[in-house]
Every structure is written in structure tokens, then in C-alpha cells.
Amino acid sequence: MRLIDDTSRHNKGTDTVQTSGNLASVQLTGTTILAQDYVYHSYQIVPISATTAEFNVQGSNDNENWTNIPGASGSLSSATESIIVQGEWYSAYSRAVLTGSAGNCLINEIHKV
């Protein structure tokens, strides 16, 4: 763990998040994270029983208005292949969004300084 400075007790290091769920509701939205302390982001999307899905990372600076981050997207085309999306971007908040028609998926996220 690394701290911003001696007076700040704000943890600045690595954050790991895992989200799973069923795409029957058409969209699976991951946990919203306070991303302003992190520069590097990596997402692994693992199909458990879903065969097709579209993945996007969304960013927001006010935690209300969300926009897809360019280049932070991917597609699942089979129930046996996972995808990894990684990049460097800056926004105050970020979240993973997976859309599809049916099936279960797992989203693993790592956010690093």
C-alpha cells in the first residue's frame, strides 16, 4: 500500500473488483468505482453460460452522465473464450457494462496507479 502523502490516509495502490450475473435482464452493470486515483485499468470478461455479449467500459466525471470510453470495448462470440480489455484513461468514475440476450458472465477488474 502506498499513500499519497504523510497527511492523507487515502489508499493509493490497486483495487480489484469482481461482478457476476445473468444477462437475461439485457444489461449487467459492474460496480461503480472512484477511478480518479487509478491510471491503468484491466477487465477480463468470462462467459459462464453466455454465448454472445458486448462489453464497454463507461466513464463519468459526475457519477450521473456516462459515456463509453473509446477503445475500451470488446465482444464475446462463444461460451468458451474470454476477452481482456485494458488501457490507460482518466475519469472520476468508471464502470463495466455488459449487454447481451441471455446467460451468465463474470467480470474481473483490476485498477492500478
Side-chain angles (χ1 to χ4, degrees), residues 22-29 58 95-100:
N22 193 312
L23 293 173
S25 62
V26 181
Q27 179 171 301
L28 175 62
T29 302
Q58 294 182 336
R95 68 182 183 187
V97 177
L98 196 59
T99 56

Short mmCIF file of all heavy atoms in Angstrom, two decimals, residues 22-29 58 95-100:
data_model
loop_
_atom_site.label_atom_id
_atom_site.label_comp_id
_atom_site.label_asym_id
_atom_site.label_seq_id
_atom_site.Cartn_x
_atom_site.Cartn_y
_atom_site.Cartn_z
N ASN A 22 -26.55 -12.49 -14.54
CA ASN A 22 -27.23 -13.03 -15.69
C ASN A 22 -27.61 -11.90 -16.64
O ASN A 22 -28.10 -10.86 -16.22
CB ASN A 22 -28.49 -13.78 -15.24
CG ASN A 22 -29.07 -14.63 -16.33
OD1 ASN A 22 -29.26 -14.18 -17.45
ND2 ASN A 22 -29.37 -15.87 -16.02
N LEU A 23 -27.37 -12.13 -17.92
CA LEU A 23 -27.70 -11.14 -18.94
C LEU A 23 -29.17 -11.18 -19.36
O LEU A 23 -29.56 -10.45 -20.26
CB LEU A 23 -26.83 -11.35 -20.18
CG LEU A 23 -25.35 -11.08 -20.00
CD1 LEU A 23 -24.59 -11.49 -21.25
CD2 LEU A 23 -25.09 -9.63 -19.67
N ALA A 24 -29.97 -11.99 -18.70
CA ALA A 24 -31.39 -12.07 -19.06
C ALA A 24 -32.08 -10.73 -18.90
O ALA A 24 -33.06 -10.43 -19.57
CB ALA A 24 -32.10 -13.13 -18.23
N SER A 25 -31.57 -9.90 -18.02
CA SER A 25 -32.15 -8.57 -17.86
C SER A 25 -31.59 -7.61 -18.90
O SER A 25 -31.80 -6.41 -18.81
CB SER A 25 -31.84 -8.05 -16.46
OG SER A 25 -30.45 -7.93 -16.28
N VAL A 26 -30.88 -8.09 -19.89
CA VAL A 26 -30.33 -7.38 -21.04
C VAL A 26 -29.02 -6.66 -20.73
O VAL A 26 -28.16 -6.58 -21.56
CB VAL A 26 -31.36 -6.40 -21.68
CG1 VAL A 26 -30.77 -5.70 -22.88
CG2 VAL A 26 -32.62 -7.13 -22.07
N GLN A 27 -28.82 -6.18 -19.51
CA GLN A 27 -27.58 -5.46 -19.21
C GLN A 27 -27.07 -5.83 -17.83
O GLN A 27 -27.83 -5.89 -16.88
CB GLN A 27 -27.82 -3.96 -19.28
CG GLN A 27 -26.59 -3.13 -18.97
CD GLN A 27 -26.80 -1.67 -19.26
OE1 GLN A 27 -27.08 -1.31 -20.39
NE2 GLN A 27 -26.68 -0.84 -18.26
N LEU A 28 -25.79 -6.09 -17.74
CA LEU A 28 -25.11 -6.34 -16.47
C LEU A 28 -24.16 -5.18 -16.25
O LEU A 28 -23.25 -4.96 -17.04
CB LEU A 28 -24.35 -7.67 -16.53
CG LEU A 28 -23.49 -8.04 -15.33
CD1 LEU A 28 -24.35 -8.19 -14.07
CD2 LEU A 28 -22.74 -9.34 -15.61
N THR A 29 -24.40 -4.40 -15.20
CA THR A 29 -23.56 -3.24 -14.91
C THR A 29 -22.71 -3.54 -13.69
O THR A 29 -23.23 -3.94 -12.64
CB THR A 29 -24.43 -1.99 -14.65
OG1 THR A 29 -25.24 -1.77 -15.80
CG2 THR A 29 -23.57 -0.78 -14.40
N GLN A 58 -17.49 2.37 -19.23
CA GLN A 58 -18.04 3.71 -19.26
C GLN A 58 -17.34 4.58 -18.22
O GLN A 58 -16.97 4.10 -17.16
CB GLN A 58 -19.54 3.69 -18.97
CG GLN A 58 -20.34 2.99 -20.04
CD GLN A 58 -21.83 3.03 -19.76
OE1 GLN A 58 -22.27 3.16 -18.63
NE2 GLN A 58 -22.62 2.90 -20.83
N ARG A 95 -17.19 2.27 -14.77
CA ARG A 95 -17.97 1.06 -14.54
C ARG A 95 -17.95 0.20 -15.79
O ARG A 95 -17.78 0.70 -16.90
CB ARG A 95 -19.41 1.40 -14.14
CG ARG A 95 -20.22 2.02 -15.25
CD ARG A 95 -21.61 2.37 -14.80
NE ARG A 95 -22.42 2.91 -15.90
CZ ARG A 95 -23.62 3.41 -15.75
NH1 ARG A 95 -24.18 3.44 -14.56
NH2 ARG A 95 -24.28 3.86 -16.80
N ALA A 96 -18.11 -1.09 -15.58
CA ALA A 96 -18.17 -2.04 -16.68
C ALA A 96 -19.63 -2.29 -17.03
O ALA A 96 -20.48 -2.40 -16.15
CB ALA A 96 -17.51 -3.35 -16.26
N VAL A 97 -19.93 -2.38 -18.34
CA VAL A 97 -21.29 -2.65 -18.79
C VAL A 97 -21.24 -3.77 -19.82
O VAL A 97 -20.50 -3.68 -20.81
CB VAL A 97 -21.94 -1.39 -19.41
CG1 VAL A 97 -23.33 -1.71 -19.94
CG2 VAL A 97 -22.00 -0.27 -18.38
N LEU A 98 -22.02 -4.81 -19.60
CA LEU A 98 -22.08 -5.96 -20.49
C LEU A 98 -23.52 -6.11 -20.94
O LEU A 98 -24.43 -6.17 -20.12
CB LEU A 98 -21.61 -7.20 -19.74
CG LEU A 98 -21.23 -8.44 -20.51
CD1 LEU A 98 -20.10 -8.14 -21.49
CD2 LEU A 98 -20.80 -9.54 -19.57
N THR A 99 -23.74 -6.13 -22.26
CA THR A 99 -25.09 -6.31 -22.79
C THR A 99 -25.14 -7.57 -23.62
O THR A 99 -24.18 -7.92 -24.30
CB THR A 99 -25.53 -5.10 -23.65
OG1 THR A 99 -24.57 -4.90 -24.69
CG2 THR A 99 -25.65 -3.85 -22.82
N GLY A 100 -26.26 -8.25 -23.56
CA GLY A 100 -26.45 -9.48 -24.32
C GLY A 100 -27.89 -9.93 -24.18
O GLY A 100 -28.73 -9.22 -23.63
#
